[in-house]
Each structure stands twice: as structure tokens, then as C-alpha cells.
Amino acid sequence: MELRPPIVIASGVGGMGEYLKLIDPRYIGAYTLKTITFKPRLGNPPPRLIATERYLINSIGLENIGVEKFIEELENGLYEELFRKVKVIFSFAGEDFEEYLKVAEKMAPYQDRFVAFECNFSCPNVHFNPLSDTNQLKKMLIELRKKLDVFLIAKLGIEGAFIEQVARLVEECGWNGVTVINTIRALHINGETLIKGGISGPVLKPIALRAVYEVRNRTNLYIIASGGIMNETDAQDFFKVGANAVSIGTALYRDPEIVERIAKKFL
Ligand SMILES: Cc1cc2nc3c(=O)[nH]c(=O)nc-3n(C[C@H](O)[C@H](O)[C@H](O)COP(=O)(O)O)c2cc1C
């Protein structure tokens, strides 16, 4: 996969294409859509977002319209403008192993529209953690690879197993890339209210950097770095440890122009 510039809009943060209103598409290498699951999901009850200087905690819980409705929208041309302007990455997940396969089956006829499929194995806001059972995960990686011909990316987190070991498995099963990392389970206390969710933003950077470093040392996979990339220096650091592209998430909420600034440096 060749992304010029090597900059990706992170899944979830970029919604279903909304940031195209704010960012010149020339500066976007690829736009990842919000994760789509087999069944529609309402997501978690509020509070869903806590923002501080150093981090954001979100408890969205994969709210999405479900794959059938997404396909309906796709067929009705809702994403044509997006496809015309940028390369698009389809992100998907399931509430169990079977559901991952069912989404892949449903989306296989449409795979040519996308530059890649990103399989989200690491959402911290749902009960199912595919990374905690690597035997099952391996079976699923093999089955998903059989069902899809597209450039296939596994989105990995650091909870479940050592990320470099999972990445090796991903490579052995014939996948093309990994997104490293996702948010990590965290807790914020606001008076008497406990807010559980996935943490993102600046505090994630050193953890993500180490994860990219480890994965690069053990695999030849295409690596999209994700976690705390807030400026050009952060992006540079991830390229230094072997990332092929950088993903911009939380930084979009602060200043969408970050994408243009990073792009101009790495075009
Ligand atoms: C509000 C919010 C929603 C997110 N939703 C998703 C999602 O649906 N699928 C996914 O793979 N990652 C999701 N993420 C994780 C981001 O794609 C990204 O990997 C993570 O936030 C770390 O990068 P950052 O520090 O640049 O934000 C979400 C993150 C946030 C903040």
C-alpha cells in the first residue's frame, strides 16, 4: 500500500468522513471510517468523553449502524464523494469471532472500493477481547484472510498478549499490515463519578512508540502508528522507529490543521 502523504485519519475520531469538510484531501493519505460491526450498536451510556490536557478518555463503545445498513448506504452512493476525494480504509469488528467473519463475508463484494480493510481487534470499550486467546485469533486470522483479497490490516492493542508476538502471528497468517496501537483501558475520577474508557492523546505516545519499535524489529508488516501523534515531531519519532504511516486521532479534536502541517513535512 502506497500512501502519499503517509498520513491516516484514525478510525472513530474521523467519523464517517466528516473531517473532509475541514481538511484538504491532498493532505490525507487514507481516511479510516468508524468501526462497523455485524449488528448495529447504540454504544455506552454517558459520560462518554473526558478531555484533559494530557489525555482523552472515551467510552463510545463502538456505536455504529451495523454492516447491513452500511452496505445500504454504500449502495445508495452516500460515500461517493469520500471515495472520489481520498483513499478509504474500512474498519470492522464483531462481538465474537463469528461476527468478524460475517462482516467480512458481507463486505467482500465491496472490497475493491477500499484501499484496505482494518480489522479492529483491540477496542477497550467492549467485552470481547480477541487478543486474549491467540489460538482462536490465529484461526480467525486464517479464515478472514481466505475471505478477503484486500490489503488486510490488524489493529492491535497492548492488552491481551505481547503485541510483537501477535504481530508475528498476523504476518504468518498472510496479512499485510498492522495499526499499532489502539486506546488502552483507563479510569478518570471526577468527584464521585468514575469514568471508564479507552485513553488516547499525548500520554499514549511513549507506549505506542515502544510498540511500533518492537513490531518493526520482529516483522516486515506495513505499520500504521497510532497513539499520541499531536505534531510533526511526534510523527517524525514514529517514522524513526519504523512506521510506514502515522494515524491522527485525538489531535483532530484540538486542531485539524495538524494534518496539513505534518503532510507538508512528509509529502
Ligand atoms: C472518540 C474516539 C473513538 C474511537 N473509535 C474507534 C473506533 O471506532 N475504532 C477503532 O479502531 N479505534 C477507535 N478509536 C481509537 C483511535 O482510532 C486511535 O487508535 C486512538 O485514539 C489512539 O490515537 P490518538 O492518540 O491519536 O487518538 C477511537 C478513539 C477515540 C478518541
Side-chain angles (χ1 to χ4, degrees), residues 10-12 34-35 58 120 155 181-183 200-201 226-228 249-250 253:
S11 180
K34 166 132 201 76
T35 298
N58 92 81
N120 181 2
K155 183 157 182 182
I181 53 179
N182 207 323
T183 55
S200 62
S226 171
T250 301
Y253 290 141

Side-chain angles (χ1 to χ4, degrees), residues 9-14 32-36 48-49 56-63 91-92 118-125 155 179-184 198-205 225-230 247-253:
I9 302 297
S11 180
V13 184
T32 317
L33 298 179
K34 166 132 201 76
T35 298
I36 299 288
R48 286 175 158 202
L49 270 184
L56 183 74
I57 292 188
N58 92 81
S59 171
I60 309 290
L62 292 187
E63 177 184 349
S91 164
F92 70 107
E118 180 178 86
C119 193
N120 181 2
F121 290 128
S122 45
C123 179
N125 294 321
K155 183 157 182 182
T179 296
V180 175
I181 53 179
N182 207 323
T183 55
I184 303 171
I199 197 163
S200 62
V203 291
L204 214 52
K205 182 187 164 189
S226 171
I229 299 165
M230 311 302 285
S247 159
I248 311 297
T250 301
L252 286 178
Y253 290 141

Side-chain angles (χ1 to χ4, degrees), residues 43 55 58 73 101 126 169 171 244:
Y55 61 78
N58 92 81
E73 292 186 349
L101 296 176
V126 291
L169 202 60
E171 189 171 42
N244 298 92

Side-chain angles (χ1 to χ4, degrees), residues 146-160:
K146 281 191 210 151
K147 289 191 192 307
L148 297 166
D149 282 331
V150 70
F151 194 93
L152 206 42
I153 299 168
K155 183 157 182 182
L156 304 180
I158 59 157
E159 294 172 291

